[in-house]
Amino acid sequence: MDSESSRSVDDAVSRLKDVPGGLLPILHAIQDDLGYVPQESVPVIAKALNLSRAEVHGVVSFYHHFRTAKPGRHVLQVCRAEACQSMGADKLAAHVRERLGIDFHETTADGNLTLEPVYCLGNCACAPSVMLDGEPQGRMTAERLEALIASVGAAR
Amino acid sequence: MSIKVYVPRDSSALSLGAEGVARAIGAEAARRGESVTVVRNGSRGMMWLEPLVEVETPTGRVGYGSVATADVAGLFDAGFLEGKAHPKSIGKVDSHPYLARQERLCFARMGVIDPLSYDDYAALGGWRGLRNAIAMKRVDAVAAVTTSGLRGRGGAAFPTGIKWKTVLETAADQKYIVCNADEGDSGTFSDRMTMEGDPFVLIEGMTIAAVATGATKGYIYVRSEYPHAERALIAAIAIAEQRGALGADVLGSGQRFDLEVRRGAGAYICGEETSLLESLEGKRGMVRYKPPVPAVSGLFGKPTVVNNVITFASLPVIFDRGAEFYRDYGMGRSRGTLPIQLTGNIKHGGLVEKAFGIPLRELLYDYGGGSATGRPIRAVQVGGPLGAFLPESQFDTPLDYEAFASIGAMVGHGGIVVFDDTVDMARMARYAMEFCAIESCGKCTPCRIGSTRGVETIDKIIAGRDVGADVAVLESLCDTMLHGSLCALGGMTPFPVLSALKHFPEDFGLDRDGLAVAA
Ligand SMILES: Cc1cc2nc3c(=O)[nH]c(=O)nc-3n(C[C@H](O)[C@H](O)[C@H](O)COP(=O)(O)O)c2cc1C
Ligand code: SF4
Ligand code: FES
């Protein structure tokens, strides 16, 4: 962990360690700031919360939301759930993987875009849906997706 | 005087460009020297018309549907500020047939007001229910919930009043109110709309629960996939605290109630209430054995009311208009109204709040307008990923908890996902098993291992080598999951799988009698 990340972890831990059930809020604060939960933060959190490292690691790995590797500068989440499937989400997912040359949970070689699956964005009446950097996008087509990807300057 | 123009801030509207439209309207008004106030409302729930722009005129609000940034200058040219004609005009919004026939109790203010205006909320009936609850004895308030017939809208449809009674009667130094806003079912967004479009109704409902049971602390557990909802709630809670509806002395009642938003982390199982409580305690979301039920020993071991967003959001109207008023809607043992979500391959997708009893067919065709693709509707899934797939022959089933249960289906959280005739039901069955495998908390073997075996078995069926034998394996696997799972994730995943097999055998390489078709 570089010193900046380390400071971010220390800050989250000192701010939230006394909150009841504070482990998830701490992990969220770290990921909100750094984009992921660095391995090296686990012992720091464990010590502050009086937990074992295994316990903290167990929580991080249980939840799909938490990443243990640094993501690209942008994150594209593609909904894979039923309502989006009914409107062609599988085809859209195949297209985006091909277009970017990566699979889900991978990042483009230029470090620009990470691709993740998501299971419903609550935008099921405007399917298929994706979310780019926390902003939902509905009625997605290959063309609109192309424009979205271009808007963050992602190459293959 | 400044003219009010409404552009929704609901996620679905935003996902279709509402932010750009709002900005363009502001800029165009400035350019033309028109005095316009852009209000960011919630969505009316006519999602196929989003972004739906509304203009306040002396005779009511006039709507313009599917507005793009490029339409804005033309709208000004056409005189939309006076509600004048334009190809995108849908006329008076309140008299639109989609809305005019609904029974909006829970969603009465949805899309009408600025979600973060405390005074608009109050002007349209807000806080009256809470004031009434404060004036009642606790036992009477809890009894009113029972009288209303309200059952949990999160999926299990458990009578809310009974749960509250247990919490009220369990002595403890601390009690909690927990709102389940994990809304993980595909095909649902009524919780999201409520949090984004009318957050005070949820806050009021939770505060009524607090006042009725003596709880002083509440948590709203919002899924991480809903960033806009989370922000709206945090803002609304701050306003409610400042106005005295939350905090040390709720509306002068002398009771404290503090509310906090907590974010989930992308685990479907954390919608199950005991898993949710584990997660709130900072642990892995492992399902707990019951008893004890959360009402006796819930969050941090204390008596806890856990209810869904829509359950809470139904309470203000019950306490405002009376338990009998609410109970008089509905059929059988399903009382009141349900915000139904029409989704997937449907022409007019959106939110329809109706009294229980409305037939599925009316929702699909009269409201929904049939499939989006214009092809025949072949199957619908109601109640999320654990709900059965229904074929056309079951479309006359009324939306009623018992009627659905009697055909092996469930109403759940009221989400309806529509599929046209291009759907491959064997693939949908495979997905149901795959989803269970991805989301299983891992506590029981039938769920954890069975779902993975289920995916493999359906793959074999799709490959078509020995369909008869593999279908038998799948059925026995489903039987094991049905009977050997601790919670409904493992215990109900067989419903979509078996219903697909039963109603659409041809997609599995079987004939109508369920026998393997000779290759
Ligand atoms: C796998 C699983 C997922 C669930 N997901 C949700 C959910 O996302 N939202 C919800 O309110 N209830 C969900 N439930 C139901 C809850 O366990 C619980 O019944 C509900 O929160 C109680 O509130 P209610 O009585 O107001 O419905 C789920 C249950 C199971 C078994
Ligand atoms: S059925 Fe599945 S999700 Fe439910 S408790 Fe068992 S393993 Fe966990
Ligand atoms: S299923 Fe994709 S947004 Fe709900």
Side-chain angles (χ1 to χ4, degrees):
Chain A
M1 243 183 344
D2 55 28
S3 63
E4 205 180 313
S5 305
S6 185
R7 221 174 308 124
S8 167
V9 170
D10 290 342
D11 172 63
V13 167
S14 65
R15 223 166 10 97
L16 296 164
K17 68 175 179 352
D18 296 323
V19 166
L23 180 51
L24 263 76
I26 288 174
L27 297 174
H28 276 303
I30 293 171
Q31 180 156 314
D32 283 354
D33 199 34
L34 304 178
Y36 72 121
V37 180
Q39 280 301 330
E40 301 90 318
S41 69
V42 169
V44 182
I45 301 167
K47 185 153 180 274
L49 295 188
N50 213 1
L51 296 169
S52 72
R53 289 177 192 201
E55 281 171 302
V56 176
H57 176 76
V59 170
V60 174
S61 61
F62 182 86
Y63 294 97
H64 301 301
H65 176 82
F66 296 123
R67 300 182 195 101
T68 48
K70 200 173 172 61
R73 285 183 290 283
H74 303 280
V75 176
L76 179 67
Q77 297 174 302
V78 178
C79 179
R80 313 225 55 203
E82 292 92 332
C84 286
Q85 287 178 36
S86 78
M87 290 299 281
D90 285 349
K91 235 192 237 159
L92 195 71
H95 171 82
V96 69
R97 277 141 94 178
E98 217 222 325
R99 163 68 179 75
L100 296 170
I102 53 172
D103 207 340
F104 285 109
H105 304 291
E106 292 179 1
T107 301
T108 51
D110 62 0
N112 196 50
L113 192 73
T114 297
L115 186 63
E116 292 181 347
V118 69
Y119 295 89
C120 195
L121 294 164
N123 198 27
C124 330
C126 307
S129 300
V130 306
M131 184 141 86
L132 179 64
D133 295 334
E135 287 302 327
Q137 308 283 345
R139 282 190 221 133
M140 208 32 67
T141 59
E143 298 76 59
R144 286 197 60 209
L145 196 61
E146 198 56 48
L148 262 191
I149 292 172
S151 75
V152 295
R156 249 185 103 101
Chain B
M1 219 192 71
S2 182
I3 297 171
K4 270 192 188 161
V5 177
Y6 294 82
V7 186
R9 53 184 286 164
D10 175 273
S11 285
S12 284
L14 295 176
S15 85
L16 301 169
E19 193 61 37
V21 171
R23 250 184 276 124
I25 290 174
E28 190 67 22
R31 204 172 65 78
R32 296 177 186 235
E34 299 272 12
S35 174
V36 164
T37 307
V38 178
V39 178
R40 304 304 300 274
N41 55 336
S43 169
R44 296 277 194 157
M46 300 191 284
M47 297 307 186
W48 79 98
L49 290 174
E50 292 294 357
L52 174 64
V53 173
E54 295 178 51
V55 178
E56 194 161 84
T57 76
T59 55
R61 277 157 69 161
V62 176
Y64 299 85
S66 309
V67 174
T69 312
D71 297 321
V72 169
L75 283 167
F76 275 88
D77 288 341
F80 91 122
L81 291 180
E82 290 107 69
K84 290 198 177 141
H86 182 276
K88 300 226 157 161
S89 173
I90 61 158
K92 293 278 160 54
V93 177
D94 286 330
S95 39
H96 192 286
Y98 200 80
L99 287 179
R101 291 177 292 152
Q102 294 195 30
E103 290 152 305
R104 289 202 164 180
L105 303 184
C106 199
F107 274 55
R109 284 164 299 264
M110 189 61 65
V112 177
I113 61 169
D114 171 353
L116 294 179
S117 167
Y118 187 94
D119 296 320
D120 283 4
Y121 179 71
L124 290 187
W127 311 116
R128 285 206 302 247
L130 175 57
R131 283 181 211 283
N132 290 341
I134 288 169
M136 292 164 89
K137 283 213 219 69
R138 281 187 177 146
V139 279
D140 295 335
V142 171
V145 177
T146 305
T147 305
S148 76
L150 180 65
R151 291 163 71 179
R153 303 293 190 233
F158 186 81
T160 306
I162 294 182
K163 188 182 284 185
W164 288 23
K165 189 162 182 279
T166 306
V167 174
L168 175 64
E169 289 171 356
T170 306
D173 56 349
Q174 173 75 61
K175 297 178 184 180
Y176 294 105
I177 308 295
V178 170
C179 174
N180 188 340
D182 202 46
E183 197 164 58
D185 294 355
S186 168
T188 65
F189 48 78
S190 59
D191 294 351
R192 181 187 61 66
M193 282 184 75
T194 299
M195 292 185 278
E196 293 176 355
D198 196 14
F200 290 124
V201 80
L202 171 57
I203 293 172
E204 184 178 355
M206 290 183 73
T207 311
I208 290 172
V211 165
T213 59
T216 53
K217 173 85 191 176
Y219 291 94
I220 307 175
Y221 186 91
V222 189
R223 66 201 304 254
S224 55
E225 293 84 349
Y226 284 0
H228 289 285
E230 181 184 321
R231 283 196 286 273
L233 282 176
I234 290 171
I237 287 170
I239 294 166
E241 279 171 358
Q242 195 207 330
R243 301 293 290 264
L246 287 174
D249 180 18
V250 169
L251 296 183
S253 63
Q255 182 172 334
R256 166 175 283 281
F257 187 55
D258 296 309
L259 206 44
E260 193 178 320
V261 177
R262 286 288 176 91
R263 192 191 305 162
Y268 179 74
I269 194 58
C270 288
E272 194 282 332
E273 59 184 4
T274 63
S275 164
L276 185 154
L277 294 174
E278 289 286 301
S279 185
L280 271 180
E281 291 181 6
K283 303 176 194 154
R284 299 153 61 100
M286 300 292 275
V287 174
R288 294 179 184 168
Y289 290 100
K290 286 192 259 191
V293 292
V296 172
S297 175
L299 186 62
F300 303 115
K302 302 295 182 185
T304 305
V305 168
V306 185
N307 277 129
N308 172 256
V309 173
I310 300 298
T311 312
F312 284 122
S314 301
L315 290 156
V317 69
I318 291 171
F319 278 84
D320 178 20
R321 312 282 291 271
E324 290 78 9
F325 168 83
Y326 189 81
R327 188 199 56 199
D328 287 348
Y329 287 87
M331 74 175 271
R333 289 174 48 220
S334 305
R335 310 312 314 175
T337 60
L338 183 70
I340 299 147
Q341 301 118 95
L342 297 178
T343 77
N345 196 330
I346 186 134
K347 196 165 163 206
H348 296 158
L351 191 292
V352 178
E353 182 174 355
K354 284 294 277 183
F356 283 95
I358 181 171
L360 198 47
R361 193 179 296 280
E362 191 177 330
L363 289 163
L364 296 175
Y365 297 99
D366 295 359
Y367 283 92
S371 75
T373 48
R375 305 182 65 95
I377 296 178
R378 183 160 180 245
V380 302
Q381 187 176 29
V382 186
L386 311 177
F389 287 102
L390 310 182
E392 219 268 338
S393 61
Q394 294 182 326
F395 288 179
D396 293 313
T397 312
L399 228 69
D400 162 70
Y401 293 120
E402 279 65 41
F404 265 64
S406 74
I407 58 164
M410 75 166 165
V411 172
H413 187 48
I416 300 178
V417 181
V418 177
F419 297 86
D420 74 10
D421 63 351
T422 61
V423 67
D424 178 343
M425 295 307 294
R427 296 220 65 89
M428 296 316 299
R430 183 189 190 281
Y431 174 79
M433 283 291 191
E434 186 189 9
F435 185 73
C436 181
I438 296 170
E439 300 296 341
S440 170
C441 85
K443 195 155 181 161
C444 15
T445 317
C447 170
R448 190 182 68 238
I449 311 286
S451 52
T452 302
R453 293 247 11 238
V455 173
E456 294 162 5
T457 309
I458 297 173
D459 279 340
K460 282 195 205 157
I461 294 170
I462 292 171
R465 272 184 297 275
D466 190 357
V467 173
D470 290 328
V471 165
V473 171
L474 182 63
E475 284 172 339
S476 119
L477 203 58
C478 283
D479 194 59
T480 307
M481 288 173 73
L482 268 168
H483 296 106
S485 300
L486 177 58
C487 87
L489 182 52
M492 290 179 69
T493 290
F495 286 114
V497 175
L498 293 174
S499 59
L501 198 56
K502 178 174 172 196
H503 299 300
F504 307 95
E506 59 276 20
D507 289 15
F508 295 79
L510 300 171
D511 65 18
R512 272 275 149 197
D513 299 320
L515 297 171
V517 179

